[in-house]
Amino acid sequence: MQLRWGREAAAARAAGLAIVALESSVLAQGLPIPSNREADRRMRAAIHAKGAVPAVTAIVSGDLMVGLDGDDLDRFLRRDGVAKVSARDLPLIAVRQGDGATTVAATLACCVAAGLDVFATGGIGGVHREPAFDESADLAELGRSSVVVVCAGAKSILDLPATLERLESLGVTVLGYRTNEFPGFFTSSTGLGVSSRVDSAAEIAAVFTASRSLGRPSALLVVQPLPSAVALDDELVERAVQSALVEARVAGVRGAGLTPFLLAAVERATGGRSLQANLALLEQNAALAAEVAVCLAASA
Ligand code: PSU
Ligand code: MN
């Protein structure tokens, strides 16, 4: 597997500029067309506005691409023959020379391979409510990738208390950005705590630097609640999740298909509002990640 850099990401790397990694599965599987294109545009603009450079990771014809752009990006946005790729799928897709959209787990593996320190996403995978033995590989990978990951928590399609317990077991520090609670993606309040609260990007960068100097192998998970203007009603979300879980059970969905199935079902049940929330929080996470990356680049 070859490591290839997109034009803008390569130039940023050569100049020592701050880079923010982005996943491609949220674009190719997580969000519907054409909102995926809007998400890509808004995340890139938010990162540029803070003086950093975005780098979408993906597998292109078997190569690890850092900074997906141009026609390749277009193919991913059209979902043209693009598989969902987790960390364990990377060697296979390399040998088969396929195209793959990277989940959080695979993006973390790409960050480690490419030496990228900061990654922004929407929500991480976690422990499913049912079947409870279905635990996203995102968690194990967070436990062994020294990367700052900025997200809006995890969606309540998951068992959030179990997900937080697993993060603790795996040694992942969870920092609440201007919050004491672990956010539930579409909702800011879950009643679940974080390891600690931080109030600035500089503080996040300092904690990450300390983690690195201790030789910690795990990620620093930074969670920030979605903008309050786009937050959804708790009961609306819970009803949508319940009906999505029933749909999945009836359809017998298992494995890698389960998360995209549940995301799409919740999307349908909550209408356009969940989509607007999703886009807004992706943009906000990209901006915070860029601030952290700029702090880290300045102290390098
Ligand atoms: N959660 C979301 N949106 C997403 C995902 C999760 O709110 O797009 C995607 C991410 O790429 C995440 C993946 O890494 O789903 C987790 O899938 P699984 O549960 O199969 O590990
Ligand atoms: Mn799974």
Side-chain angles (χ1 to χ4, degrees):
M1 175 176 269
Q2 241 189 295
L3 179 58
R4 277 165 51 198
W5 291 78
R7 204 147 34 100
E8 193 191 11
R13 182 164 169 254
L17 295 179
I19 300 178
V20 176
L22 299 169
E23 61 158 305
S24 45
S25 182
V26 66
L27 302 177
Q29 284 95 26
L31 287 167
I33 295 171
S35 299
N36 58 350
R37 197 173 288 274
E38 182 181 344
D40 177 68
R41 185 178 50 72
R42 284 171 65 174
M43 283 190 283
R44 287 174 193 267
I47 292 167
H48 281 137
K50 299 286 183 184
V53 170
V56 173
T57 68
I59 309 304
V60 176
S61 305
D63 288 338
L64 195 180
M65 189 77 208
V66 178
L68 184 72
D69 57 13
D71 291 345
D72 290 328
L73 171 66
D74 215 65
R75 204 166 63 251
F76 276 65
L77 291 171
R78 281 187 278 109
R79 293 169 156 54
D80 213 357
V82 180
K84 173 179 168 182
V85 164
S86 188
R88 69 168 182 176
D89 308 315
L90 291 171
L92 268 171
I93 195 143
V95 170
R96 307 254 157 95
Q97 301 187 348
D99 284 341
T102 52
T103 62
V104 169
T107 303
L108 285 168
C110 293
C111 285
V112 170
L116 300 178
D117 293 340
V118 184
F119 163 28
T121 186
I124 57 164
V127 181
H128 279 269
R129 295 197 195 184
E130 61 172 65
F133 57 76
D134 183 345
E135 176 181 321
S136 174
D138 291 358
L139 298 185
E141 218 57 36
L142 283 165
R144 56 176 171 244
S145 310
S146 169
V147 176
V148 179
V149 180
V150 180
C151 69
K155 276 198 185 124
S156 39
I157 56 167
L158 301 170
D159 181 335
L160 298 183
T163 299
L164 267 176
E165 290 294 344
R166 289 292 294 139
L167 286 168
E168 181 186 355
S169 306
L170 290 161
V172 178
T173 307
V174 182
L175 295 181
Y177 181 71
R178 299 183 178 168
T179 182
N180 295 304
E181 271 186 74
F182 186 77
F185 195 94
F186 288 133
T187 56
S188 48
S189 172
T190 58
L192 299 166
V194 290
S195 311
S196 189
R197 173 190 172 124
V198 287
D199 288 285
S200 70
E203 205 178 349
I204 296 167
V207 176
F208 183 64
T209 303
S211 174
R212 272 276 166 91
S213 51
L214 284 164
R216 298 283 307 138
S218 45
L220 186 61
L221 189 66
V222 179
V223 295
Q224 78 170 329
L226 81 173
S228 54
V230 292
L232 302 191
D233 178 65
D234 286 6
E235 277 176 34
L236 170 76
V237 174
E238 186 53 32
R239 271 200 309 275
V241 169
Q242 289 298 344
S243 67
L245 290 168
V246 172
E247 274 186 63
R249 199 184 309 142
V250 170
V253 188
R254 284 278 188 277
L258 181 60
T259 294
F261 182 95
L262 292 172
L263 298 182
V266 169
E267 185 67 59
R268 282 193 301 276
T270 54
R273 289 181 50 218
S274 68
L275 199 50
Q276 286 316 310
N278 213 330
L279 297 175
L281 66 85
L282 282 166
E283 183 176 34
Q284 182 182 257
N285 294 343
L288 177 58
E291 284 182 38
V292 175
V294 167
C295 288
L296 287 169
S299 63

